[in-house]
Amino acid sequence: MSQATDQPGTATTPGAPAREGNPLSTALMPLLLDVAVPLGGYYLLHEGFGLSLVLSLALSSVVPAVRTVLSLVRERAVNGLAGVMLVVNLLSLLLSFATGDARLMIAKDSVISSFVGGAILWSAVRGTPLMTAGLKPMLVKGSSAKAAAWDRLTSGNARFRSLERRYSAVWGAALLTECAARVIGAYTLPVEAMASWGSTAMLLGAILVGIVVGGAVGVSPMEKLLDAEAEQFEAPARV
């Protein structure tokens, strides 16, 4: 009577740690599911397949709605990014029924920007910055050492957490300023200018401010702290 033996390469050692996923893909997953999927879905349905604005917005809201509900049920917490995208889509649905003159049509889009900017700014005040979902993978760059360093810094370094909140605060303030500028522009600048390039220029300006100022007051000092923390823990391993 023969005894079964484990084949090389297929044995599983009891108590062995589970294989860790790629830090970069893990960090990017919330951005993919909560931002890229609803936005990409909307443009694909509306521009690609020619569905109506209302139907496209409704269908693209399914994923953030499901993720928001699952987060509430499983974790008793609100999924920040999914919740923001869901509200943005709902606001867009409501505003799609608004009618009025050309200036009102231009100004109404600022409602969306103001909500997003306000949500980001409020998340920074509460200490749960929404922009971290995009900031972390940008700084960690798929490095497991930096991912571990990030976790240590966010749990034990007050300056790092302050910089993290500051980065979101810059983006929130930039988007709120863009919202105010769009409303002012809608009622003071020529309609043709705002409709053709004015609104786009203001949004690009807000994004530029977020990148430049956010990089100076948030990304750069955070990157230095992260590199130093990762180097400190890697050095003994190389000895």
Side-chain angles (χ1 to χ4, degrees):
M1 185 174 181
S2 61
Q3 184 177 6
T5 58
D6 292 333
Q7 296 298 321
T10 61
T12 301
T13 304
R19 181 179 298 176
E20 296 182 358
N22 183 280
L24 181 59
S25 60
T26 301
L28 285 174
M29 190 57 66
L31 280 179
L32 175 64
L33 293 176
D34 299 330
V35 179
V37 169
L39 283 178
Y42 164 74
Y43 285 110
L44 178 64
L45 293 170
H46 186 54
E47 304 293 341
F49 293 102
L51 297 185
S52 68
L53 175 65
V54 172
L55 184 57
S56 298
L57 286 170
L59 291 176
S60 64
S61 301
V62 172
V63 171
V66 169
R67 283 180 55 80
T68 300
V69 172
L70 286 178
S71 178
L72 287 171
V73 172
R74 292 177 178 176
E75 304 169 14
R76 299 293 190 273
V78 177
N79 183 320
L81 281 176
V84 168
M85 289 305 302
L86 179 59
V87 174
V88 164
N89 278 6
L90 292 176
L91 284 174
S92 299
L93 277 170
L94 292 174
L95 290 173
S96 67
F97 296 105
T99 58
D101 61 23
R103 294 187 183 278
L104 176 61
M105 293 299 98
I106 294 171
K108 73 179 179 64
D109 291 335
S110 64
V111 175
I112 306 300
S113 297
S114 66
F115 176 80
V116 175
I120 294 174
L121 193 58
W122 177 242
S123 73
V125 173
R126 291 187 60 218
T128 55
L130 285 172
M131 294 300 291
T132 295
L135 179 62
K136 182 177 180 179
M138 180 174 67
L139 293 183
V140 169
K141 301 172 184 174
S143 167
S144 57
K146 287 187 177 181
W150 178 286
D151 293 338
R152 290 193 298 269
L153 288 170
T154 52
S155 62
N157 189 302
R159 181 166 184 262
F160 190 84
R161 293 196 301 270
S162 176
L163 292 169
E164 185 184 4
R165 293 193 299 271
R166 187 183 301 175
Y167 180 76
S168 280
V170 167
W171 275 94
L175 289 174
L176 284 176
T177 302
E178 182 268 337
C179 163
R182 188 181 301 189
V183 173
I184 294 172
Y187 288 98
T188 58
L189 297 176
V191 174
E192 295 78 9
M194 284 297 296
S196 60
W197 58 267
S199 296
T200 301
M202 291 176 183
L203 179 59
L204 291 177
I207 293 174
L208 182 62
V209 168
I211 293 174
V212 174
V213 179
V217 305
V219 174
S220 182
M222 286 179 73
E223 191 167 25
K224 292 177 181 178
L225 288 173
L226 193 62
D227 288 342
E229 180 72 15
E231 179 67 24
Q232 178 183 350
F233 277 77
E234 284 182 331
R238 291 197 296 263
V239 175

